[in-house]
Amino acid sequence: MNVGGQHFRTIWLKADDARIVQLIDQRFLPHRFVVEGIATVEQMATAIRDMHVRGAGLIGAAAGYGMYLAARGGADLMQAAAQLKATRPTAVNLAWAIDRQLHAIAAADLAKDKVATALATAKQIADEDAEYCRLIGRHGLELIHRIAREKHGKQINVLTHCNAGWLAFVDHGSATSPIYAAHDEGLPVHVWVDETRPRNQGSKLTAWELGEHGVPHTVIADNTGGHLMQRGDVDLVIVGTDRTTYTGDVANKIGTYLKALAAKDNNVPFYVALPSSSFDWTMRDGLAEIPIEQRAAEEVRHADGWANGERVEVRLTPENSAAANYGFDVTPRRLVTGLITERGICEANEKSILALFPEHASSAPTRKATLLSPFSSREMGAGDKSVASPG
Amino acid sequence: MNVGGQHFRTIWLKADDARIVQLIDQRFLPHRFVVEGIATVEQMATAIRDMHVRGAGLIGAAAGYGMYLAARGGADLMQAAAQLKATRPTAVNLAWAIDRQLHAIAAADLAKDKVATALATAKQIADEDAEYCRLIGRHGLELIHRIAREKHGKQINVLTHCNAGWLAFVDHGSATSPIYAAHDEGLPVHVWVDETRPRNQGSKLTAWELGEHGVPHTVIADNTGGHLMQRGDVDLVIVGTDRTTYTGDVANKIGTYLKALAAKDNNVPFYVALPSSSFDWTMRDGLAEIPIEQRAAEEVRHADGWANGERVEVRLTPENSAAANYGFDVTPRRLVTGLITERGICEANEKSILALFPEHASSAPTRKATLLSPFSSREMGAGDKSVASPG
């Protein structure tokens, strides 16, 4: 998307120097726009581990380019893969991109071909990510068009939580992609940006990227969304997800569940935007099964921001107060109006999700459902698995 | 309650000098404990306006002492009253305390008696506030005892939002009073403290006062309460209120509504603690009628805290991003399990509230309910008003 009127992705090969991968160093946003040049796999590992780049799609793309730099530098590829995988052990896209590179490079014969293959694969991973996000935008745009028709030219208010924007991917973003598509078509879309404590990805990243692309937006405290919905000032909620079960339960940044409850209570449509890589095809019950990361208490005890031209961290709590920092929560599928994927929009339930992604029907572990089914397991053929009702 | 092992109120007459009123200057909490001496009504007006003191009960007590200082200093009492009333125009307790002083002082004959009367009235206002809060604690304690019996000695987890603590009153607080009572009885009570952005009254004031009194507590981002309730880690929610309609709708710090929704969704009891002065006996419909204050956007765009031994304000958002700052939201009565008042606990509905405060039955404007009632207005006597069903 645009930064100061110029199109950017979050990561790219330097135009005039194929030895360098460039990326936006997000640690300095929204206060400074810093582009970092990465020349080695070690530097890329640091950039991922220390969160110069973050977000599922972008981490995958960064790992892909990291493997390219390893191949180009003649590094031991297995060692490079291990080094990159160790940076953010829970990020599913990381291992997926690295393994894809290992397979692609292994298939090339000559050393020179291996480097070219690694570069082509890195670009492909990045391009696919951008394309999936673009498609999410096209499908989500239909929802916004529908609201626009009902509102007859009045401002369309979309609420989002955390940063599921282009900064978390290569371009477009997931939750933001329909918003950018609507804005670029000239629809009068305005975004309520949850600040998203404790790390403030909303006020720092989402507000910045919307502002740079010219999308009208207003930052709010995380406490505010319910009140806005009660007043009728929210037409649509779109959030991203870190992991969604194939039954439709949505793990996302802590606080998402509270907004989903408010949306339900006020009849506001609540959508989750995700590329299919964010589905977990093995989990039935998000609340029971998805592990929730606990992060450092210091993030809650402090806030960091900008004062007198530098980044400053201030303590908000008494010195001796304990703090707890759960990174994510799970929004049960009953609160989710629909899922916006690269293949289209589906309902947040097993049947609708597997109808859109039938290739995953056989991998879904429906045994529990089978046990609860009125049919015995012998009566239920493999073909029935995809439509077994959720438990 | 206790500060560093010593009992304090939020405001008091200096022990050895009746010319000075002392108060805790809350602007420096939780980082420094500052006691300020106030010698004139002008200084008291500044202390209220600039929020050295805040909270409904405490503002009333401060205004009472302000009128005493005015009487003692020979000031024009009507002018002093106007000066004090202008400090926080929306605080209902402020005008109430000032008018009470004007009546009391007017009834005294001699100038000397006027000063003595003003002091006695100021003390009475403060003592009554503390006593009402203490009684709220006794009644709320019964709820905690009930939970304690079910949990067989295991930790009892109470979640609270914002600061409805003793710092907002003269002593005990409203939402915190049952917690202090339980802690002082030796019950294993632990408090989840919502940080309460954007002003962080939770992480700054509630965490501080609980910590100083020795109550175990954990500060959490406002996003976290729903997840904790899903996990079964919250046994009880108690919040305060800025205004509650006589039909049971609760205006309180922004974000309260989201916690109430989560409590309902997880069968966690959700109580509101309030002295009867916080009831609005004229409003039927909280959502439609209670005006919601919009505060400065800068509070959302910034956070202030402590860095290198001083108070620092840091900017969290891009320079050009707009922000909105709604101070309160309204929790509809259907989400409220009960109200804890100085007279006991009642349900959040007109019938139950007016049964506890029957002297207000005739002031309640039940005309709308009458129109909806199956009886004609002629058939409905005055005595029926208190039990007219909510609209």
Side-chain angles (χ1 to χ4, degrees), chain A residues 195 197 217 219 257 265 306 315 321-322, chain B residues 195 197 217 219 257 265-266 306 315 321-322:
Chain A
E195 66 166 332
R197 280 277 295 154
H217 64 280
V219 179
Y257 165 56
D265 200 45
W306 206 247
R315 178 164 52 80
S321 288
Chain B
E195 66 166 332
R197 280 278 295 155
H217 64 281
V219 179
Y257 166 56
D265 200 45
N266 294 282
W306 206 247
R315 178 164 51 80
S321 286

mmCIF file with all atom_site columns, all heavy atoms in Angstrom, chain A residues 195 197 217 219 257 265 306 315 321-322, chain B residues 195 197 217 219 257 265-266 306 315 321-322:
data_model
loop_
_atom_site.group_PDB
_atom_site.id
_atom_site.type_symbol
_atom_site.label_atom_id
_atom_site.label_alt_id
_atom_site.label_comp_id
_atom_site.label_asym_id
_atom_site.label_entity_id
_atom_site.label_seq_id
_atom_site.pdbx_PDB_ins_code
_atom_site.Cartn_x
_atom_site.Cartn_y
_atom_site.Cartn_z
_atom_site.occupancy
_atom_site.B_iso_or_equiv
_atom_site.pdbx_formal_charge
_atom_site.auth_seq_id
_atom_site.auth_comp_id
_atom_site.auth_asym_id
_atom_site.auth_atom_id
_atom_site.pdbx_PDB_model_num
ATOM 1   N N   . GLU A 1 195 ? -6.819  0.697   20.045 1.00 0.00 ? 195 GLU A N   1
ATOM 2   C CA  . GLU A 1 195 ? -5.377  0.904   20.247 1.00 0.00 ? 195 GLU A CA  1
ATOM 3   C C   . GLU A 1 195 ? -4.637  -0.414  20.508 1.00 0.00 ? 195 GLU A C   1
ATOM 4   O O   . GLU A 1 195 ? -3.492  -0.566  20.133 1.00 0.00 ? 195 GLU A O   1
ATOM 5   C CB  . GLU A 1 195 ? -5.113  1.906   21.376 1.00 0.00 ? 195 GLU A CB  1
ATOM 6   C CG  . GLU A 1 195 ? -5.541  1.444   22.751 1.00 0.00 ? 195 GLU A CG  1
ATOM 7   C CD  . GLU A 1 195 ? -4.954  2.327   23.857 1.00 0.00 ? 195 GLU A CD  1
ATOM 8   O OE1 . GLU A 1 195 ? -3.869  2.915   23.676 1.00 0.00 ? 195 GLU A OE1 1
ATOM 9   O OE2 . GLU A 1 195 ? -5.600  2.428   24.930 1.00 0.00 ? 195 GLU A OE2 1
ATOM 10  N N   . ARG A 1 197 ? -3.998  -2.450  23.571 1.00 0.00 ? 197 ARG A N   1
ATOM 11  C CA  . ARG A 1 197 ? -3.034  -2.647  24.645 1.00 0.00 ? 197 ARG A CA  1
ATOM 12  C C   . ARG A 1 197 ? -2.824  -4.139  24.865 1.00 0.00 ? 197 ARG A C   1
ATOM 13  O O   . ARG A 1 197 ? -3.731  -4.920  24.597 1.00 0.00 ? 197 ARG A O   1
ATOM 14  C CB  . ARG A 1 197 ? -3.568  -1.976  25.935 1.00 0.00 ? 197 ARG A CB  1
ATOM 15  C CG  . ARG A 1 197 ? -3.336  -0.468  25.965 1.00 0.00 ? 197 ARG A CG  1
ATOM 16  C CD  . ARG A 1 197 ? -1.954  -0.093  26.439 1.00 0.00 ? 197 ARG A CD  1
ATOM 17  N NE  . ARG A 1 197 ? -1.725  -0.467  27.826 1.00 0.00 ? 197 ARG A NE  1
ATOM 18  C CZ  . ARG A 1 197 ? -0.529  -0.719  28.342 1.00 0.00 ? 197 ARG A CZ  1
ATOM 19  N NH1 . ARG A 1 197 ? 0.569   -0.638  27.598 1.00 0.00 ? 197 ARG A NH1 1
ATOM 20  N NH2 . ARG A 1 197 ? -0.390  -1.056  29.609 1.00 0.00 ? 197 ARG A NH2 1
ATOM 21  N N   . HIS A 1 217 ? -9.583  7.582   9.740  1.00 0.00 ? 217 HIS A N   1
ATOM 22  C CA  . HIS A 1 217 ? -9.644  6.648   10.865 1.00 0.00 ? 217 HIS A CA  1
ATOM 23  C C   . HIS A 1 217 ? -9.584  7.418   12.170 1.00 0.00 ? 217 HIS A C   1
ATOM 24  O O   . HIS A 1 217 ? -9.142  8.577   12.196 1.00 0.00 ? 217 HIS A O   1
ATOM 25  C CB  . HIS A 1 217 ? -8.469  5.661   10.802 1.00 0.00 ? 217 HIS A CB  1
ATOM 26  C CG  . HIS A 1 217 ? -7.139  6.321   10.942 1.00 0.00 ? 217 HIS A CG  1
ATOM 27  N ND1 . HIS A 1 217 ? -6.527  6.968   9.876  1.00 0.00 ? 217 HIS A ND1 1
ATOM 28  C CD2 . HIS A 1 217 ? -6.326  6.506   12.008 1.00 0.00 ? 217 HIS A CD2 1
ATOM 29  C CE1 . HIS A 1 217 ? -5.380  7.486   10.288 1.00 0.00 ? 217 HIS A CE1 1
ATOM 30  N NE2 . HIS A 1 217 ? -5.237  7.232   11.573 1.00 0.00 ? 217 HIS A NE2 1
ATOM 31  N N   . VAL A 1 219 ? -8.519  6.655   16.319 1.00 0.00 ? 219 VAL A N   1
ATOM 32  C CA  . VAL A 1 219 ? -7.999  5.723   17.326 1.00 0.00 ? 219 VAL A CA  1
ATOM 33  C C   . VAL A 1 219 ? -8.887  5.807   18.563 1.00 0.00 ? 219 VAL A C   1
ATOM 34  O O   . VAL A 1 219 ? -9.285  6.897   18.984 1.00 0.00 ? 219 VAL A O   1
ATOM 35  C CB  . VAL A 1 219 ? -6.545  6.071   17.688 1.00 0.00 ? 219 VAL A CB  1
ATOM 36  C CG1 . VAL A 1 219 ? -6.016  5.112   18.759 1.00 0.00 ? 219 VAL A CG1 1
ATOM 37  C CG2 . VAL A 1 219 ? -5.661  6.037   16.445 1.00 0.00 ? 219 VAL A CG2 1
ATOM 38  N N   . TYR A 1 257 ? -12.601 -11.176 21.654 1.00 0.00 ? 257 TYR A N   1
ATOM 39  C CA  . TYR A 1 257 ? -13.828 -11.807 22.168 1.00 0.00 ? 257 TYR A CA  1
ATOM 40  C C   . TYR A 1 257 ? -14.800 -10.760 22.722 1.00 0.00 ? 257 TYR A C   1
ATOM 41  O O   . TYR A 1 257 ? -16.017 -10.840 22.498 1.00 0.00 ? 257 TYR A O   1
ATOM 42  C CB  . TYR A 1 257 ? -13.419 -12.831 23.236 1.00 0.00 ? 257 TYR A CB  1
ATOM 43  C CG  . TYR A 1 257 ? -14.507 -13.347 24.127 1.00 0.00 ? 257 TYR A CG  1
ATOM 44  C CD1 . TYR A 1 257 ? -15.657 -13.943 23.612 1.00 0.00 ? 257 TYR A CD1 1
ATOM 45  C CD2 . TYR A 1 257 ? -14.380 -13.269 25.525 1.00 0.00 ? 257 TYR A CD2 1
ATOM 46  C CE1 . TYR A 1 257 ? -16.639 -14.435 24.461 1.00 0.00 ? 257 TYR A CE1 1
ATOM 47  C CE2 . TYR A 1 257 ? -15.357 -13.761 26.367 1.00 0.00 ? 257 TYR A CE2 1
ATOM 48  C CZ  . TYR A 1 257 ? -16.487 -14.343 25.841 1.00 0.00 ? 257 TYR A CZ  1
ATOM 49  O OH  . TYR A 1 257 ? -17.459 -14.824 26.684 1.00 0.00 ? 257 TYR A OH  1
ATOM 50  N N   . ASP A 1 265 ? -24.431 -8.415  20.594 1.00 0.00 ? 265 ASP A N   1
ATOM 51  C CA  . ASP A 1 265 ? -25.461 -7.749  21.405 1.00 0.00 ? 265 ASP A CA  1
ATOM 52  C C   . ASP A 1 265 ? -26.121 -6.595  20.652 1.00 0.00 ? 265 ASP A C   1
ATOM 53  O O   . ASP A 1 265 ? -27.224 -6.184  20.999 1.00 0.00 ? 265 ASP A O   1
ATOM 54  C CB  . ASP A 1 265 ? -24.827 -7.243  22.705 1.00 0.00 ? 265 ASP A CB  1
ATOM 55  C CG  . ASP A 1 265 ? -25.852 -6.989  23.810 1.00 0.00 ? 265 ASP A CG  1
ATOM 56  O OD1 . ASP A 1 265 ? -26.736 -7.854  23.992 1.00 0.00 ? 265 ASP A OD1 1
ATOM 57  O OD2 . ASP A 1 265 ? -25.784 -5.942  24.479 1.00 0.00 ? 265 ASP A OD2 1
ATOM 58  N N   . TRP A 1 306 ? 6.480   8.050   22.212 1.00 0.00 ? 306 TRP A N   1
ATOM 59  C CA  . TRP A 1 306 ? 7.413   9.030   21.693 1.00 0.00 ? 306 TRP A CA  1
ATOM 60  C C   . TRP A 1 306 ? 7.375   10.282  22.570 1.00 0.00 ? 306 TRP A C   1
ATOM 61  O O   . TRP A 1 306 ? 6.296   10.812  22.857 1.00 0.00 ? 306 TRP A O   1
ATOM 62  C CB  . TRP A 1 306 ? 6.995   9.377   20.271 1.00 0.00 ? 306 TRP A CB  1
ATOM 63  C CG  . TRP A 1 306 ? 8.085   9.861   19.376 1.00 0.00 ? 306 TRP A CG  1
ATOM 64  C CD1 . TRP A 1 306 ? 8.213   11.121  18.858 1.00 0.00 ? 306 TRP A CD1 1
ATOM 65  C CD2 . TRP A 1 306 ? 9.190   9.114   18.860 1.00 0.00 ? 306 TRP A CD2 1
ATOM 66  N NE1 . TRP A 1 306 ? 9.317   11.195  18.063 1.00 0.00 ? 306 TRP A NE1 1
ATOM 67  C CE2 . TRP A 1 306 ? 9.943   9.989   18.044 1.00 0.00 ? 306 TRP A CE2 1
ATOM 68  C CE3 . TRP A 1 306 ? 9.618   7.788   19.034 1.00 0.00 ? 306 TRP A CE3 1
ATOM 69  C CZ2 . TRP A 1 306 ? 11.109  9.575   17.382 1.00 0.00 ? 306 TRP A CZ2 1
ATOM 70  C CZ3 . TRP A 1 306 ? 10.767  7.390   18.367 1.00 0.00 ? 306 TRP A CZ3 1
ATOM 71  C CH2 . TRP A 1 306 ? 11.503  8.271   17.563 1.00 0.00 ? 306 TRP A CH2 1
ATOM 72  N N   . ARG A 1 315 ? 6.483   3.643   33.084 1.00 0.00 ? 315 ARG A N   1
ATOM 73  C CA  . ARG A 1 315 ? 5.797   2.687   33.949 1.00 0.00 ? 315 ARG A CA  1
ATOM 74  C C   . ARG A 1 315 ? 4.451   3.267   34.358 1.00 0.00 ? 315 ARG A C   1
ATOM 75  O O   . ARG A 1 315 ? 4.367   4.435   34.757 1.00 0.00 ? 315 ARG A O   1
ATOM 76  C CB  . ARG A 1 315 ? 6.641   2.360   35.178 1.00 0.00 ? 315 ARG A CB  1
ATOM 77  C CG  . ARG A 1 315 ? 5.961   1.406   36.151 1.00 0.00 ? 315 ARG A CG  1
ATOM 78  C CD  . ARG A 1 315 ? 6.938   0.776   37.150 1.00 0.00 ? 315 ARG A CD  1
ATOM 79  N NE  . ARG A 1 315 ? 7.756   1.752   37.835 1.00 0.00 ? 315 ARG A NE  1
ATOM 80  C CZ  . ARG A 1 315 ? 7.356   2.485   38.884 1.00 0.00 ? 315 ARG A CZ  1
ATOM 81  N NH1 . ARG A 1 315 ? 6.136   2.342   39.355 1.00 0.00 ? 315 ARG A NH1 1
ATOM 82  N NH2 . ARG A 1 315 ? 8.170   3.358   39.440 1.00 0.00 ? 315 ARG A NH2 1
ATOM 83  N N   . SER A 1 321 ? 3.253   -3.906  41.919 1.00 0.00 ? 321 SER A N   1
ATOM 84  C CA  . SER A 1 321 ? 2.034   -4.590  41.462 1.00 0.00 ? 321 SER A CA  1
ATOM 85  C C   . SER A 1 321 ? 2.372   -5.656  40.437 1.00 0.00 ? 321 SER A C   1
ATOM 86  O O   . SER A 1 321 ? 3.150   -5.424  39.513 1.00 0.00 ? 321 SER A O   1
ATOM 87  C CB  . SER A 1 321 ? 1.053   -3.593  40.844 1.00 0.00 ? 321 SER A CB  1
ATOM 88  O OG  . SER A 1 321 ? 0.482   -2.780  41.845 1.00 0.00 ? 321 SER A OG  1
ATOM 89  N N   . ALA A 1 322 ? 1.746   -6.823  40.600 1.00 0.00 ? 322 ALA A N   1
ATOM 90  C CA  . ALA A 1 322 ? 1.872   -7.876  39.595 1.00 0.00 ? 322 ALA A CA  1
ATOM 91  C C   . ALA A 1 322 ? 1.035   -7.510  38.378 1.00 0.00 ? 322 ALA A C   1
ATOM 92  O O   . ALA A 1 322 ? 0.102   -6.709  38.467 1.00 0.00 ? 322 ALA A O   1
ATOM 93  C CB  . ALA A 1 322 ? 1.399   -9.201  40.177 1.00 0.00 ? 322 ALA A CB  1
ATOM 94  N N   . GLU B 1 195 ? -6.618  -2.025  33.764 1.00 0.00 ? 195 GLU B N   1
ATOM 95  C CA  . GLU B 1 195 ? -5.804  -0.810  33.816 1.00 0.00 ? 195 GLU B CA  1
ATOM 96  C C   . GLU B 1 195 ? -6.641  0.455   33.541 1.00 0.00 ? 195 GLU B C   1
ATOM 97  O O   . GLU B 1 195 ? -6.346  1.510   34.056 1.00 0.00 ? 195 GLU B O   1
ATOM 98  C CB  . GLU B 1 195 ? -4.621  -0.897  32.844 1.00 0.00 ? 195 GLU B CB  1
ATOM 99  C CG  . GLU B 1 195 ? -5.004  -0.942  31.378 1.00 0.00 ? 195 GLU B CG  1
ATOM 100 C CD  . GLU B 1 195 ? -3.785  -0.683  30.482 1.00 0.00 ? 195 GLU B CD  1
ATOM 101 O OE1 . GLU B 1 195 ? -2.845  -0.001  30.896 1.00 0.00 ? 195 GLU B OE1 1
ATOM 102 O OE2 . GLU B 1 195 ? -3.792  -1.189  29.336 1.00 0.00 ? 195 GLU B OE2 1
ATOM 103 N N   . ARG B 1 197 ? -7.707  2.229   30.449 1.00 0.00 ? 197 ARG B N   1
ATOM 104 C CA  . ARG B 1 197 ? -7.308  3.287   29.520 1.00 0.00 ? 197 ARG B CA  1
ATOM 105 C C   . ARG B 1 197 ? -8.515  4.141   29.186 1.00 0.00 ? 197 ARG B C   1
ATOM 106 O O   . ARG B 1 197 ? -9.634  3.648   29.214 1.00 0.00 ? 197 ARG B O   1
ATOM 107 C CB  . ARG B 1 197 ? -6.730  2.635   28.243 1.00 0.00 ? 197 ARG B CB  1
ATOM 108 C CG  . ARG B 1 197 ? -5.295  2.193   28.395 1.00 0.00 ? 197 ARG B CG  1
ATOM 109 C CD  . ARG B 1 197 ? -4.301  3.316   28.193 1.00 0.00 ? 197 ARG B CD  1
ATOM 110 N NE  . ARG B 1 197 ? -4.325  3.814   26.826 1.00 0.00 ? 197 ARG B NE  1
ATOM 111 C CZ  . ARG B 1 197 ? -3.941  5.054   26.486 1.00 0.00 ? 197 ARG B CZ  1
ATOM 112 N NH1 . ARG B 1 197 ? -3.510  5.910   27.390 1.00 0.00 ? 197 ARG B NH1 1
ATOM 113 N NH2 . ARG B 1 197 ? -3.999  5.434   25.229 1.00 0.00 ? 197 ARG B NH2 1
ATOM 114 N N   . HIS B 1 217 ? -3.245  -8.535  44.136 1.00 0.00 ? 217 HIS B N   1
ATOM 115 C CA  . HIS B 1 217 ? -3.926  -8.056  42.933 1.00 0.00 ? 217 HIS B CA  1
ATOM 116 C C   . HIS B 1 217 ? -3.007  -8.209  41.735 1.00 0.00 ? 217 HIS B C   1
ATOM 117 O O   . HIS B 1 217 ? -1.789  -8.324  41.879 1.00 0.00 ? 217 HIS B O   1
ATOM 118 C CB  . HIS B 1 217 ? -4.336  -6.588  43.088 1.00 0.00 ? 217 HIS B CB  1
ATOM 119 C CG  . HIS B 1 217 ? -3.164  -5.674  43.222 1.00 0.00 ? 217 HIS B CG  1
ATOM 120 N ND1 . HIS B 1 217 ? -2.474  -5.528  44.422 1.00 0.00 ? 217 HIS B ND1 1
ATOM 121 C CD2 . HIS B 1 217 ? -2.518  -4.893  42.323 1.00 0.00 ? 217 HIS B CD2 1
ATOM 122 C CE1 . HIS B 1 217 ? -1.472  -4.687  44.242 1.00 0.00 ? 217 HIS B CE1 1
ATOM 123 N NE2 . HIS B 1 217 ? -1.461  -4.300  42.980 1.00 0.00 ? 217 HIS B NE2 1
ATOM 124 N N   . VAL B 1 219 ? -2.591  -6.502  37.738 1.00 0.00 ? 219 VAL B N   1
ATOM 125 C CA  . VAL B 1 219 ? -3.044  -5.533  36.747 1.00 0.00 ? 219 VAL B CA  1
ATOM 126 C C   . VAL B 1 219 ? -3.149  -6.240  35.388 1.00 0.00 ? 219 VAL B C   1
ATOM 127 O O   . VAL B 1 219 ? -2.279  -7.026  35.023 1.00 0.00 ? 219 VAL B O   1
ATOM 128 C CB  . VAL B 1 219 ? -2.073  -4.346  36.651 1.00 0.00 ? 219 VAL B CB  1
ATOM 129 C CG1 . VAL B 1 219 ? -2.539  -3.346  35.594 1.00 0.00 ? 219 VAL B CG1 1
ATOM 130 C CG2 . VAL B 1 219 ? -1.932  -3.665  38.008 1.00 0.00 ? 219 VAL B CG2 1
ATOM 131 N N   . TYR B 1 257 ? -19.399 -1.877  30.096 1.00 0.00 ? 257 TYR B N   1
ATOM 132 C CA  . TYR B 1 257 ? -20.386 -2.648  29.334 1.00 0.00 ? 257 TYR B CA  1
ATOM 133 C C   . TYR B 1 257 ? -19.782 -3.917  28.738 1.00 0.00 ? 257 TYR B C   1
ATOM 134 O O   . TYR B 1 257 ? -20.388 -4.996  28.755 1.00 0.00 ? 257 TYR B O   1
ATOM 135 C CB  . TYR B 1 257 ? -20.971 -1.734  28.249 1.00 0.00 ? 257 TYR B CB  1
ATOM 136 C CG  . TYR B 1 257 ? -21.752 -2.398  27.141 1.00 0.00 ? 257 TYR B CG  1
ATOM 137 C CD1 . TYR B 1 257 ? -22.846 -3.215  27.406 1.00 0.00 ? 257 TYR B CD1 1
ATOM 138 C CD2 . TYR B 1 257 ? -21.413 -2.178  25.800 1.00 0.00 ? 257 TYR B CD2 1
ATOM 139 C CE1 . TYR B 1 257 ? -23.569 -3.798  26.375 1.00 0.00 ? 257 TYR B CE1 1
ATOM 140 C CE2 . TYR B 1 257 ? -22.132 -2.761  24.772 1.00 0.00 ? 257 TYR B CE2 1
ATOM 141 C CZ  . TYR B 1 257 ? -23.208 -3.571  25.059 1.00 0.00 ? 257 TYR B CZ  1
ATOM 142 O OH  . TYR B 1 257 ? -23.917 -4.149  24.043 1.00 0.00 ? 257 TYR B OH  1
ATOM 143 N N   . ASP B 1 265 ? -22.029 -13.778 29.543 1.00 0.00 ? 265 ASP B N   1
ATOM 144 C CA  . ASP B 1 265 ? -21.743 -14.906 28.647 1.00 0.00 ? 265 ASP B CA  1
ATOM 145 C C   . ASP B 1 265 ? -21.109 -16.079 29.391 1.00 0.00 ? 265 ASP B C   1
ATOM 146 O O   . ASP B 1 265 ? -21.147 -17.204 28.915 1.00 0.00 ? 265 ASP B O   1
ATOM 147 C CB  . ASP B 1 265 ? -20.815 -14.442 27.515 1.00 0.00 ? 265 ASP B CB  1
ATOM 148 C CG  . ASP B 1 265 ? -20.859 -15.359 26.299 1.00 0.00 ? 265 ASP B CG  1
ATOM 149 O OD1 . ASP B 1 265 ? -21.969 -15.751 25.891 1.00 0.00 ? 265 ASP B OD1 1
ATOM 150 O OD2 . ASP B 1 265 ? -19.786 -15.689 25.752 1.00 0.00 ? 265 ASP B OD2 1
ATOM 151 N N   . ASN B 1 266 ? -20.495 -15.793 30.539 1.00 0.00 ? 266 ASN B N   1
ATOM 152 C CA  . ASN B 1 266 ? -19.793 -16.838 31.280 1.00 0.00 ? 266 ASN B CA  1
ATOM 153 C C   . ASN B 1 266 ? -20.407 -17.111 32.655 1.00 0.00 ? 266 ASN B C   1
ATOM 154 O O   . ASN B 1 266 ? -19.762 -17.738 33.505 1.00 0.00 ? 266 ASN B O   1
ATOM 155 C CB  . ASN B 1 266 ? -18.317 -16.456 31.421 1.00 0.00 ? 266 ASN B CB  1
ATOM 156 C CG  . ASN B 1 266 ? -17.604 -16.443 30.079 1.00 0.00 ? 266 ASN B CG  1
ATOM 157 O OD1 . ASN B 1 266 ? -17.261 -17.491 29.548 1.00 0.00 ? 266 ASN B OD1 1
ATOM 158 N ND2 . ASN B 1 266 ? -17.436 -15.254 29.504 1.00 0.00 ? 266 ASN B ND2 1
ATOM 159 N N   . TRP B 1 306 ? 5.847   6.894   34.465 1.00 0.00 ? 306 TRP B N   1
ATOM 160 C CA  . TRP B 1 306 ? 7.033   7.257   35.216 1.00 0.00 ? 306 TRP B CA  1
ATOM 161 C C   . TRP B 1 306 ? 8.267   6.754   34.474 1.00 0.00 ? 306 TRP B C   1
ATOM 162 O O   . TRP B 1 306 ? 8.319   5.600   34.072 1.00 0.00 ? 306 TRP B O   1
ATOM 163 C CB  . TRP B 1 306 ? 6.941   6.587   36.588 1.00 0.00 ? 306 TRP B CB  1
ATOM 164 C CG  . TRP B 1 306 ? 7.689   7.266   37.682 1.00 0.00 ? 306 TRP B CG  1
ATOM 165 C CD1 . TRP B 1 306 ? 8.784   6.764   38.334 1.00 0.00 ? 306 TRP B CD1 1
ATOM 166 C CD2 . TRP B 1 306 ? 7.397   8.526   38.294 1.00 0.00 ? 306 TRP B CD2 1
ATOM 167 N NE1 . TRP B 1 306 ? 9.181   7.647   39.302 1.00 0.00 ? 306 TRP B NE1 1
ATOM 168 C CE2 . TRP B 1 306 ? 8.358   8.738   39.308 1.00 0.00 ? 306 TRP B CE2 1
ATOM 169 C CE3 . TRP B 1 306 ? 6.421   9.504   38.075 1.00 0.00 ? 306 TRP B CE3 1
ATOM 170 C CZ2 . TRP B 1 306 ? 8.374   9.886   40.098 1.00 0.00 ? 306 TRP B CZ2 1
ATOM 171 C CZ3 . TRP B 1 306 ? 6.441   10.640  38.866 1.00 0.00 ? 306 TRP B CZ3 1
ATOM 172 C CH2 . TRP B 1 306 ? 7.404   10.829  39.859 1.00 0.00 ? 306 TRP B CH2 1
ATOM 173 N N   . ARG B 1 315 ? 3.622   9.905   23.355 1.00 0.00 ? 315 ARG B N   1
ATOM 174 C CA  . ARG B 1 315 ? 2.615   9.791   22.297 1.00 0.00 ? 315 ARG B CA  1
ATOM 175 C C   . ARG B 1 315 ? 2.628   8.375   21.745 1.00 0.00 ? 315 ARG B C   1
ATOM 176 O O   . ARG B 1 315 ? 3.688   7.835   21.437 1.00 0.00 ? 315 ARG B O   1
ATOM 177 C CB  . ARG B 1 315 ? 2.872   10.822  21.189 1.00 0.00 ? 315 ARG B CB  1
ATOM 178 C CG  . ARG B 1 315 ? 1.873   10.730  20.030 1.00 0.00 ? 315 ARG B CG  1
ATOM 179 C CD  . ARG B 1 315 ? 1.889   11.977  19.137 1.00 0.00 ? 315 ARG B CD  1
ATOM 180 N NE  . ARG B 1 315 ? 3.221   12.348  18.689 1.00 0.00 ? 315 ARG B NE  1
ATOM 181 C CZ  . ARG B 1 315 ? 3.870   11.767  17.685 1.00 0.00 ? 315 ARG B CZ  1
ATOM 182 N NH1 . ARG B 1 315 ? 3.312   10.781  17.017 1.00 0.00 ? 315 ARG B NH1 1
ATOM 183 N NH2 . ARG B 1 315 ? 5.082   12.172  17.351 1.00 0.00 ? 315 ARG B NH2 1
ATOM 184 N N   . SER B 1 321 ? -3.090  11.171  13.405 1.00 0.00 ? 321 SER B N   1
ATOM 185 C CA  . SER B 1 321 ? -4.278  10.337  13.584 1.00 0.00 ? 321 SER B CA  1
ATOM 186 C C   . SER B 1 321 ? -5.256  11.004  14.539 1.00 0.00 ? 321 SER B C   1
ATOM 187 O O   . SER B 1 321 ? -4.870  11.500  15.596 1.00 0.00 ? 321 SER B O   1
ATOM 188 C CB  . SER B 1 321 ? -3.884  8.972   14.147 1.00 0.00 ? 321 SER B CB  1
ATOM 189 O OG  . SER B 1 321 ? -3.271  8.186   13.161 1.00 0.00 ? 321 SER B OG  1
ATOM 190 N N   . ALA B 1 322 ? -6.554  10.975  14.170 1.00 0.00 ? 322 ALA B N   1
ATOM 191 C CA  . ALA B 1 322 ? -7.592  11.442  15.075 1.00 0.00 ? 322 ALA B CA  1
ATOM 192 C C   . ALA B 1 322 ? -7.810  10.401  16.168 1.00 0.00 ? 322 ALA B C   1
ATOM 193 O O   . ALA B 1 322 ? -7.481  9.226   16.004 1.00 0.00 ? 322 ALA B O   1
ATOM 194 C CB  . ALA B 1 322 ? -8.883  11.665  14.292 1.00 0.00 ? 322 ALA B CB  1
#
